[in-house]
Amino acid sequence: MKPRAIVISGRIGSGKSTLASKLSVAPGTALLKSRELIRQKMTRLPLDLTAWQRAGDKIERETDGRWLSDALNRKLLSDSSLTTVVVDSVR
């Protein structure tokens, strides 16, 4: 069976991370957080939302919008036992 991705998007405070966390406890499921990917690329970010938005926009420009799909592919290729990857907070 091919692995699947559950992609969650929504407004700030709408419960995306809560839903993603609950979905990711199923066996064979991994959680991919876009916030963690941004943090890995932009190591010195202040806590305000505007800075995070600008950092995400910068990564979008630098990767032609491929950064999240590339991370998803790496996750799926690195663990053949995964059946599902939950992607939290798609921009």
Side-chain angles (χ1 to χ4, degrees):
M1 178 179 185
K2 285 185 179 182
R4 63 183 168 187
I6 299 173
V7 181
I8 301 173
S9 181
R11 295 183 184 274
I12 293 172
S14 64
K16 298 177 299 293
S17 294
T18 300
L19 176 60
S21 294
K22 290 182 183 219
L23 291 172
S24 68
V25 298
T29 303
L31 178 59
L32 182 63
K33 295 182 177 185
S34 62
R35 183 178 183 93
E36 294 301 320
L37 297 171
I38 292 171
R39 184 176 286 139
Q40 289 170 9
K41 292 190 177 287
M42 312 291 279
T43 56
R44 287 186 249 142
L45 275 176
L47 296 177
D48 68 278
L49 292 174
T50 304
W52 282 91
Q53 183 65 43
R54 283 193 307 258
D57 290 345
K58 182 175 188 235
I59 295 168
E60 287 278 330
R61 286 190 305 277
E62 289 174 351
T63 65
D64 249 354
R66 293 187 313 265
W67 66 283
L68 196 51
S69 62
D70 288 349
L72 176 59
N73 283 329
R74 282 191 303 273
K75 178 72 92 176
L76 290 170
L77 291 172
S78 70
D79 187 346
S80 61
S81 69
L82 286 177
T83 58
T84 306
V85 176
V86 179
V87 182
D88 181 13
S89 275
V90 174
R91 296 173 43 82

